Every structure is written in C-alpha cells, then in structure tokens.
Amino acid sequence: MIFTDVRFAVLLLASWLSFFAAPVRLRTAVLAGWGVVFYAIYAREYLPLVGELILVAYLFARGRPDVVLALLVAMLFGRFKLGADLTGLSQASATLAPTAIIVPLGFSFLAFELLHFVIEVRRGRIARISLVDLLAFAFFFPCRIAGPIKRYPAFLEAVQTAVPSTANVYAGLVRILTGLFKKVVVADILALTVREIEYAATPLHLWKVVLAYSVQILLDFSAYSDLAIGTSRLLGIAVPENFRWPYLSPNIQEFWNRWHITLSSWARDYVFTPSGRQLFKTRLRSSPTAIAALSYLATFLVIGAWHGLTPNYLLWGLYHGLLLTAYYVYRKSLPAWVATSRVFHSRVVHVAGTALTFFLVTIGWLPFLTDFSRTTRFMRIMFGLSS
Amino acid sequence: MKRLSDRFLRRLLVAVLVLVVVDRFVPSFLADAERNRYESDQLFRFENSDLFSLGPLVSYLREHPRGTRPRVAFFGDSIIWGYFVRPGETVPAQFQRHSPHVRVFNFGINGFQTGSAHLIAKTIIGSIDTAYVLYMRNGADSMLGSLIPVDEQDIATYRLTRPDHTERRLQQALGFWHLYTDAYRLQSALFGTSTRQQFYLHKRDLFARILGRETGEGLKPAETPDPDRALRHLTVDVGRADTPPSEQEAAELKGTYWMHWKFANLATMHKKRIVFIELVNHSDSMPDKVRLAFNAMLAPYVTFVRVAVPGTLTVDGQHLSPVGSLAFAQMLLRDAPPLVTDEP
C-alpha cells in the first residue's frame, strides 16, 4: 500500500517542510512539484499522458480548443510519422497485457476533477485560472490514489490559508491511524472471507460472503479516504469528507448523501441537475416523475460507468437508479397525513428503513464481487430460486 | 488554543515514548520467537501454504547458518506441503518424527515450481545440509524477486518482479525501529503466516480458547496399521549408470537439462546433499538414461529418485494420504538419506 511506504513518508515530510517554508504565493508550485515527483515514483509511465490531459483541460478552460486540436494533430503526426510517442502510451502499454486498457493511477478521480474545473470555468464561477494552480489541484498527491474528489475553489482557498500547527499534525495522524486500522486490521481480514466466493455454493455461505463484502468495501474505501484526508490535514489542507456512516441511512436517498459523498455531489451537480433542467425544457415538463426517473437513471449509469465500463458495473448503476426512482415515487405518493404522522417518524420505522436500505445496498454489491453471469446465478441461489 | 496545542503535543510525545520503550524489547522477543519456531521440535510448515513467511525464514537461515541440529529442507508443491492431511501427517513431518537428530523445514507451497526451489536453495545453501526437491516445471513465482535475494540473471531467466531497491534501502535506514522493520519476521515467527491470515484460519479456535474450551488439530499422527506394507507398495528407482557419460554426452545433458544441472551444481559446489524426486504422473519426467547418467556424474552429493505411488496411498490420486506420507518419508530415509555430517 502506497501510504505505508517509507518512500511516501519521506515524500510527505519533504513536501510538508517545503510547503510551509515557501511563501504563500508559491505554495501551489510546491504542491505541483511534489505531485509530479509522486507520479514519477509510482506511475512514471503515465506522467506524460496525465500532464497532457491537464494541459488540455487548461486550454479548454482558456477557450482555446484550436490549440488543443493542433496539439492532438502534432501528437498523432509525431506518433505515426516520426515514431515519437509524446503521450508515453507505448511505454505504458509495454508493461501491460495486450488486451489491457491503459488507465493512469487515480484516473477516474482525476478525470472528474478536470471536468469540474473546465465546466466551472466555462460557467464563469472560476475567474482566475493559472496552469500552476491547476497542476497543484490535479497532482495533489494525498488524493491522487482514491479521492476524495476535490473542488477547485475550495482547494485553492485551503492551500492559501493552511497553517502548520500541532492540532493539524495530531488530527492528521489520528485520521491516518484510523484509516490504517480500518484497512489493515479489519477490511483485509474480511477480504479473506470474501475470497470464499470462489467456492461458495449454498445460500447461507453466499449471504455470509456478500455481508462480509458489504462491510469490507465500506471500510476499505473509507480507509483510503481517511488516509487521504489525514495526509492532507498534516499539510493543513482540508479536503472534503467522503463517508458519513452510510449504512445507518434510513433510505436510499440518504445513503447517497453519505456514501462516496464527493462522487455523488459531483454527479448531482454535473449530471443529475443539468439533465433534469434540460428535460424540463421538453414535453416531459408536465411529468416530474419521468424527469426524476430519467435523471436518476442517467446519473447512476454514469456513476456505474465511472467504476468500470463493464456490464456488472452498469447493472449496479442501473439498480441504484431504479431504487432512487422507486423511492422518489414512494415519497411522492405517500399521503400527507402518513408522512407527518408520529408513527412514520418513530424509531421503529427508522430502524426498519435502515435495515431495508442496508439489505438493498448489500445485495447490490454482488456485481462488484463477480462477473455478470455469476451475479445472476448467485442471486438465484441466495433467494432460494436455484440450488 | 495554546492549551489544546499543548495537549496534542503531550499525547504525541507520550505515544512516541511508548513506542520507543516497546521497541527496546522487540529484538529479544523476536529472537525467542524465531528460536521457538525454527529450532525447536515444533512441526514447521507455511501456514496456509502462502509465500508470506518465506522471506522471514530465508532471512533467519541466512543469519543463522548453523542450527542446533543439521538442517533438512523439503521443497515442493501441495504434495510436500500436505494438502488434505494434518500438519503432523505430511512427508516432512513424518521424516522429522523418524529422524529427530535433524531439523526439518517444510518449504512446500501450493503450485510451487522447481525454479522457485532453485532460487530459494541458492540463498540458503550455506545454511542447510540436505534438500529434498519434488521436481516440477522449471518456472518460478514472479513475486520471489521481492521476497528473497536474487541477482539480475535470475530476474531475467525467471521473469521475476524486480525488487524495489529504493524502498528496501529506505527501510534499512529505519533499521533502528525494530517494530517496523521486523514486523514480518515477528508475524512469521509467531504464527507462520500473517496475523490476519492466522486470525482468519483459526477464528473458531481463537473464540473457543477464549471461552476456555480445548480445540486443536491434534498433531498426533494417524494410526498406521502396517507402515512397512505401505512402504513395499512404493516403486522406487535410485539407480546410476555403470560408467559416467562421455564429455560430449555430458555437455549435451547439461544443455538440455540446464535447470537440473544448475540446481545440482549448488550441491556439488557447497558439498551439500540434494535429492531430486520425480513423482510418476505428477512431476515432469526425465528419461531413465538421463537420470542414471546424472546419478553417475553427480554422486555422492546429488541423487535423482523416481517414485511411483499407488492410488491407494493417496487421497485424490495425487496427494498423499497419511499412510502414503509415512511410507514416502521412510522410503527417503532408506534410499536417499540426508547428509548429517560435514563430509558425505
């Protein structure tokens, strides 16, 4: 694990010292530099490609698509006519199996951050842009592996206002230790049970494995967020929280307010809301349910595809889109006297809702565990529809 | 704010102090744990048949080239490790039981190949006296590059993962922090595997122990109604050619069977004993003529043995049953005994 490497600790110490020693106006340059060093250490072969993606995002934000096009033509010319690969893709692909897709380290997170940047600039919400600031944002190494997905204005402000303090160091270390405990002590042991999926064949065994996975995926992912947030906190930089006790959610909508918060808020801002607005301009405006359904489905298909462009991730996305649509319809059709009653807001109903949400989310993890064909087979076994 | 900062600073200092104090005891604790695991009569094999404890064991053997008894190492796959049988019923365990004057190490790992055995033997040949190698394909596990010392030629020959020298050097620089640098060795010495694997494998036992109930695999070997009869059912061939091959023939053999030759050379160069075991219908087979020729060329340090085990002595047609393991061990003691003195 990168966070437990001595090399990473040395990198962090060096970046901490130089970050606070440098004048405030040079902090982004320092972070950009250390981010490049991080990539050079852990994913050297992808560094040219990532650098070029960031440059493309910068040029698009600057309203210079013509320069982008010229660069792309130059790269293709260089590649196919001169044999010069400026993307580094051929070097990267040399280390992979022939059928593997080239994906730089933390690419999904980087892609969404760059899209956010470009969109916000084009919307006029980010006025001052500089390449160095963008490099610092994109290459910020604590969040480069597995998020959280940051927002550009908040990140820059955090960088400018960061202070070295014992409180930050202490809080950062505690958060890092929490993440390490969750990952190494609990999640990795559960992973051994999850591996039993290779030979699990009875309903009880499959349920045990799926439940173990449900807990493992939360602890694993939230541990990486803890490590990223704790490492950033050492630098005095606050990055967004990513998990807030998601399995205690009383309904599926609340679940998505607590699970991978930065991803769901990104999807809300750049997929759900814009698609809803566009659909409202069409004939569907008289059917808010249809608008909500289509927006949820589009959003969660994007989220599913973000995890991986394979049938099982798309199935998972579709499943959650349908769950949210069903919840929307349920809330809309609930009579007002029920929705405001004391029973509806009682502890019993809350606990029942939490249990049902946990159950629905847990069975939804099956596509993450195995491929599409085995997902359907295991589902049938788990629900007693097959031996 | 200053009070808060002071409190955090105090907590940080206390944590560092505790770590420093605990760290002082780690080397002696580790030494005791390793002595108990590697030099005592405790049966030894890799828990869960994984590579986790391989690096720590190799490190220990290299740091302690002489043990309290001559050392015998068994290399092989799940058959040597003892799939389907209890730890006390494996071939190495039965061998140990019948020759208490040596210390036996079961290096068996599921899916192990002979290239892996060769790489490991290279690093510890100075620390063992005899090696029994169940011969398989020539390949090696690519992870070995990061677990044991390997050279550039080995990395190229076996396509090993290149070791991370930078990280290794940085870890060595942290050598003063024993709890960090010896974490793997501690776990291997205490559990024979990682802590989490130990917990996962024995979670029922752990809970039972906490509740005060005795459980355990029971290391007593199974009853063997007639071990000598089982031994008679094994077909063993340890012959050698009457005359060694000519120079030209020898050169051809060395070229065709380069792996065997490289491995066998370890024994002759270091005056150790290696016994290569070809298990019929399991190992890559070697023509009789070649085996007899090698035995003539490499005696007395190296012996190639061919063994045929009947299905009645196996669990699934391949993996030895407890009776089969005992017969196998007895066969080795009779037909290819270990080296127990400095001179063969």
Side-chain angles (χ1 to χ4, degrees), chain B residues 147-220:
Chain B
L147 297 174
I148 61 173
V150 291
D151 57 39
E152 284 298 323
Q153 195 177 14
D154 292 331
I155 293 171
T157 306
Y158 295 108
R159 293 195 193 131
L160 305 176
T161 308
R162 197 162 280 282
D164 191 340
H165 293 298
T166 311
E167 186 65 16
R168 208 171 270 182
R169 274 189 220 113
L170 286 170
Q171 285 175 356
Q172 279 165 2
L174 277 183
F176 58 88
W177 188 11
H178 301 291
L179 205 52
Y180 177 80
T181 52
D182 293 338
Y184 280 116
R185 287 181 69 159
L186 265 172
Q187 291 177 83
S188 301
L190 291 171
F191 309 125
T193 184
S194 63
T195 310
R196 61 173 174 254
Q197 194 67 251
Q198 173 76 0
F199 182 80
Y200 169 73
L201 289 171
H202 299 286
K203 49 188 178 297
R204 287 203 185 100
D205 290 336
L206 281 174
F207 292 139
R209 279 176 201 151
I210 288 167
L211 293 171
R213 275 182 240 150
E214 283 291 327
T215 60
E217 294 179 343
L219 296 177
K220 259 180 73 174

Side-chain angles (χ1 to χ4, degrees), chain B residues 78-324:
Chain B
S78 51
I79 290 177
I80 293 297
W81 184 78
Y83 210 69
F84 294 121
V85 300
R86 294 185 295 189
E89 294 166 344
T90 63
V91 169
Q94 303 280 21
F95 192 101
Q96 172 80 86
R97 196 168 281 112
H98 287 81
S99 44
H101 54 286
V102 300
R103 176 60 175 139
V104 176
F105 292 92
N106 183 347
F107 275 89
I109 294 176
N110 290 351
F112 215 49
Q113 298 178 84
T114 308
S116 298
H118 172 231
L119 289 172
I120 298 168
K122 261 177 78 170
T123 63
I124 60 170
I125 194 68
S127 310
I128 58 172
D129 298 282
T130 303
Y132 290 95
V133 182
L134 179 65
Y135 203 84
M136 298 299 298
R137 290 174 303 284
N138 286 352
D141 194 311
S142 60
M143 276 186 63
L144 285 181
S146 49
L147 297 174
I148 61 173
V150 291
D151 57 39
E152 284 298 323
Q153 195 177 14
D154 292 331
I155 293 171
T157 306
Y158 295 108
R159 293 195 193 131
L160 305 176
T161 308
R162 197 162 280 282
D164 191 340
H165 293 298
T166 311
E167 186 65 16
R168 208 171 270 182
R169 274 189 220 113
L170 286 170
Q171 285 175 356
Q172 279 165 2
L174 277 183
F176 58 88
W177 188 11
H178 301 291
L179 205 52
Y180 177 80
T181 52
D182 293 338
Y184 280 116
R185 287 181 69 159
L186 265 172
Q187 291 177 83
S188 301
L190 291 171
F191 309 125
T193 184
S194 63
T195 310
R196 61 173 174 254
Q197 194 67 251
Q198 173 76 0
F199 182 80
Y200 169 73
L201 289 171
H202 299 286
K203 49 188 178 297
R204 287 203 185 100
D205 290 336
L206 281 174
F207 292 139
R209 279 176 201 151
I210 288 167
L211 293 171
R213 275 182 240 150
E214 283 291 327
T215 60
E217 294 179 343
L219 296 177
K220 259 180 73 174
E223 290 297 318
T224 48
D226 190 350
D228 290 335
R229 191 168 156 209
L231 180 57
R232 283 197 292 275
H233 284 155
L234 296 179
T235 311
V236 185
D237 190 346
V238 277
R240 66 166 84 164
D242 294 330
T243 53
S246 65
E247 259 188 53
Q248 191 187 344
E249 283 170 343
E252 273 176 28
L253 288 175
K254 287 175 196 177
T256 311
Y257 297 94
W258 60 271
M259 165 58 78
H260 299 73
W261 184 254
K262 266 178 88 156
F263 209 150
N265 250 342
L266 276 180
T268 52
M269 274 168 42
H270 292 88
K271 292 189 168 43
K272 305 286 181 165
R273 182 133 167 75
I274 295 183
V275 177
F276 292 97
I277 306 162
E278 181 193 316
L279 193 58
V280 172
N281 295 327
H282 186 73
S283 304
D284 282 357
S285 68
M286 178 188 275
D288 280 348
K289 206 175 110 179
V290 173
R291 188 169 40 77
L292 297 173
F294 269 137
N295 280 344
M297 286 161 66
L298 298 165
Y301 297 107
V302 178
T303 306
F304 284 80
V305 177
R306 173 180 288 162
V307 185
V309 179
T312 48
L313 293 181
T314 68
V315 174
D316 60 349
Q318 282 209 357
H319 294 90
L320 298 166
S321 65
V323 178

Side-chain angles (χ1 to χ4, degrees), chain A residues 6-7 166 170 189 196, chain B residues 5 11 164 167 180 196 200:
Chain A
V6 178
R7 216 168 4 190
T166 327
Y170 181 81
I189 293 182
E196 292 173 16
Chain B
S5 193
R11 286 182 187 175
D164 191 340
E167 186 65 16
Y180 177 80
R196 61 173 174 254
Y200 169 73

